[in-house]
């Protein structure tokens, strides 16, 4: 889904950070990792911190220089925590995600370049970038850990990729949503129950029913939830008849 987005790490010193980046990427469905002249790679610390994302590490491509690493990319972002004396056009991680996720033509690739742990990206490296990429944060303490910075950017890409729509369905669990016919039967049963228990006469309950419909329309009941609620209605009706 996010194959067009390449995470590029420049001269990373700590192999553990490379592993943590792989994990952050895989959590957000990214897999394309490129390393520019890493100090130690492959390394046991990288594998350990990848914690299940070893496939991303195995697929990582190593390059000697940044120009080689970004050669086949069409849009290049340089992630930077620092204000620069020369100003580059900047985008936040969210703006970048909203501008490019789902908006690339086939074959187009985006490079997201992250700098060294101790000194970030050099100005000549930013010269190769179309935009600075910023993660908004505390201006007094703006430098995130490398893997944390990658995590935030990948998260924004993932969210922009429309995960919300999918999970709104997924979050309901396995049951299908109740259809309109089932909901009408549910409302008839609710109205009947309201009358049976003497809460309100059906003829005077039009406004109340409208409000109740609004509540249930907001929450999208599934068939199982409808069954549970109708079970409660039945119980209330039976109980009321007995008393
Ligand atoms: N000490 C370095 C920052 C190192 S953090 C410096 O002074 O620049 C390692 C990398 O994480 C940075 O090079 C940058 O690519 C990314 N990063 C950290 N915080 C960031 C932020 N707030 N916005 C964008 N990228 C950030």
């Amino acid at each position: 889904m996010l194959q067009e987005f390449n995470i590029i790490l420049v001269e990373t010193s700590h192999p553990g950070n490379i592993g943590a980046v792989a994990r952050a990427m895989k959590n957000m469905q990214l897999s394309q990792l490129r390393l520019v002249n890493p100090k130690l790679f492959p390394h046991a610390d990288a594998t350990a911190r990848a914690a299940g994302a070893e496939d991303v590490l195995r697929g990582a491509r190593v390059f000697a220089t940044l120009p080689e690493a970004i050669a086949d990319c069409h849009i290049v972002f340089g992630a930077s925590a620092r204000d620069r004396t020369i100003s580059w056009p900047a985008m936040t991680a969210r703006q970048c995600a909203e501008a490019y996720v789902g908006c690339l033509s086939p074959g187009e690739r985006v490079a997201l370049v992250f700098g060294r742990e101790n000194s970030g990206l050099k100005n000549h490296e930013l010269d190769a970038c179309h935009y600075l990429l910023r993660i908004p944060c505390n201006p007094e303490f703006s430098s995130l850990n490398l893997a944390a910075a990658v995590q935030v950017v990948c998260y924004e890409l993932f969210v922009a990729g429309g995960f919300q729509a999918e999970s709104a369905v997924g979050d309901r669990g396995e049951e299908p949503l109740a259809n309109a016919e089932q909901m009408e039967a549910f409302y008839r049963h609710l109205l009947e129950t309201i009358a049976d228990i003497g809460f309100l006469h059906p003829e005077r309950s039009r406004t109340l029913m409208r409000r109740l419909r609004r509540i249930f329309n907001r929450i999208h009941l599934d068939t199982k939830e409808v069954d549970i609620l109708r079970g409660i209605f039945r119980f209330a009706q039976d109980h009321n008849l007995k008393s």
Side-chain angles (χ1 to χ4, degrees), residues 134-145:
R134 291 196 166 286
I135 298 166
C137 56
N138 179 355
E140 310 292 328
F141 192 65
S142 64
S143 174
L144 279 73
N145 160 270

Side-chain angles (χ1 to χ4, degrees), residues 8 78-82 84 113-121 133-137 141-150 153:
I8 303 184
S80 176
R82 269 184 292 144
R84 307 279 166 163
V113 184
F114 293 80
R116 302 154 187 84
E117 293 96 326
N118 54 3
S119 57
L121 291 171
L133 183 64
R134 291 196 166 286
I135 298 166
C137 56
F141 192 65
S142 64
S143 174
L144 279 73
N145 160 270
L146 175 59
V150 172
V153 171

Side-chain angles (χ1 to χ4, degrees), residues 26-88:
K26 190 168 177 178
N27 283 143
M28 300 296 141
Q29 284 186 345
L30 277 87
S31 62
Q32 304 300 310
L33 176 61
R34 300 181 181 190
L35 308 172
V36 176
N37 195 23
K39 197 163 172 195
L40 296 165
F41 186 81
H43 192 277
D45 289 352
T47 310
R49 294 282 301 280
E54 293 85 354
D55 51 333
V56 176
L57 283 187
R58 273 196 303 277
R61 294 167 62 192
V62 179
F63 296 84
T65 65
L66 180 61
E68 289 170 84
I70 60 175
D72 64 345
C73 295
H74 304 82
I75 311 284
V76 182
F77 285 89
S80 176
R82 269 184 292 144
D83 279 330
R84 307 279 166 163
T85 38
I86 314 165
S87 59
W88 273 265

Side-chain angles (χ1 to χ4, degrees), residues 92-208:
T92 64
R94 184 161 302 175
Q95 287 167 335
C96 160
E98 285 169 355
Y100 290 103
V101 174
C103 302
L104 295 164
S105 301
E108 281 181 348
R109 275 180 288 275
V110 173
L112 301 156
V113 184
F114 293 80
R116 302 154 187 84
E117 293 96 326
N118 54 3
S119 57
L121 291 171
K122 299 184 193 312
N123 281 349
H124 76 83
E125 290 165 336
L126 287 176
D127 283 334
C129 301
H130 296 93
Y131 301 99
L132 273 189
L133 183 64
R134 291 196 166 286
I135 298 166
C137 56
N138 179 355
E140 310 292 328
F141 192 65
S142 64
S143 174
L144 279 73
N145 160 270
L146 175 59
V150 172
Q151 182 76 79
V152 172
V153 171
C154 293
Y155 169 77
E156 291 291 355
L157 297 172
F158 184 68
V159 171
F163 103 95
Q164 283 160 319
E166 284 165 30
S167 79
V169 175
D171 281 349
R172 277 191 354 263
E174 299 302 297
E175 303 299 324
L177 285 179
N179 63 25
E181 190 183 359
Q182 290 163 328
M183 285 310 293
E184 286 310 315
F186 168 83
Y187 291 126
R188 279 195 300 276
H189 197 170
L190 176 57
L191 180 60
E192 204 181 278
T193 310
I194 284 171
D196 284 354
I197 64 174
F199 183 76
L200 206 62
H201 192 276
E203 275 158 29
R204 279 185 284 136
S205 57
R206 203 182 311 159
T207 316
L208 175 69

